[in-house]
Amino acid sequence: MDLHDDAALIIIDVQQGFDDPVWGERNTPDAEANIGRLVAAWSDASRPIVLVRHDSVSPGSPLAAGSPGNALKPVVADAPHELFVTKHVNSAFYGEPDLGAWLEARGIRQLVICGIQTNMCVETTARMAGNLGYDVTVPLDATHTFDLDGPGGIRLTADELAGATAVNLAGGGFAVVLTTDEVIGAA
């Protein structure tokens, strides 16, 4: 991996509300620690960091704006950052302020995307970034998700969903999927 000096670290929805038991079983117990390692590496290299927060508009959501669960987790709450995006949908490209315009104005073309949930907001943002022509990397062990029920009684574990995200992103040409160690090794 050739990491550019201006590669942006996009940290998606690392919020207190994801510790609520309503979400169920999660994977990647070291995700937050790996996110913290990425923040440190980006800070040390003076690379840009973007924080993204999901301000849910769903009644009763643990991520509802103004609720304690809406707050960022300590690992990123005080992280130095150049941009703070709030959103109501899965993709950080549909937030405020406009992430795409901010990246474009700075000529940033390489993104490393991490955070919560792997198969939801991380994958959606990475897919969209890939479609927009960005060079995208996702350190999968710096993300986590939860077991999920689907139609017809289908239930996938968090690990199965993360594996599907890795296949979708890499196999679909949206992103390179690596580990935190591999990304930091390139920093």
Side-chain angles (χ1 to χ4, degrees):
M1 174 180 191
D2 180 26
L3 196 59
H4 303 171
D5 290 340
D6 67 348
L9 178 64
I10 313 291
I11 304 170
I12 308 284
D13 303 347
V14 181
Q15 295 170 248
Q16 301 279 0
F18 281 117
D19 291 338
D20 190 303
V22 70
W23 299 103
E25 293 297 316
R26 69 169 269 186
N27 69 339
T28 325
D30 294 332
E32 288 85 354
N34 288 330
I35 292 166
R37 292 173 54 220
L38 289 165
V39 168
W42 253 252
S43 296
D44 290 348
S46 297
R47 287 189 174 101
I49 297 174
V50 175
L51 297 177
V52 179
R53 185 185 70 209
H54 190 89
D55 290 349
S56 179
V57 293
S58 298
S61 171
L63 304 176
S67 72
N70 186 254
L72 297 177
K73 291 186 177 196
V75 68
V76 298
D78 296 323
H81 57 279
E82 286 70 29
L83 183 67
F84 188 90
V85 175
T86 59
K87 63 180 181 59
H88 306 292
V89 296
N90 299 101
S91 177
F93 285 95
Y94 287 120
E96 292 291 330
D98 187 311
L99 174 61
W102 185 86
L103 294 167
E104 199 66 34
R106 285 150 187 80
I108 296 171
R109 301 305 307 158
Q110 188 176 45
L111 311 178
V112 174
I113 301 173
C114 64
I116 307 170
Q117 297 183 60
T118 312
N119 58 310
M120 298 287 183
C121 297
V122 172
E123 182 175 348
T124 301
T125 301
R127 281 176 176 249
M128 208 166 161
N131 280 340
L132 291 169
Y134 291 95
D135 174 4
V136 182
T137 299
V138 175
L140 200 65
D141 61 350
T143 74
H144 80 73
T145 194
F146 304 91
D147 293 359
L148 188 63
D149 292 325
I154 297 170
R155 180 172 183 79
L156 296 179
T157 68
D159 283 336
E160 290 169 331
L161 290 165
T165 290
V167 170
N168 290 338
L169 292 177
F174 297 103
V176 173
V177 178
L178 298 174
T179 65
T180 299
D181 285 342
E182 290 169 323
V183 172
I184 290 175

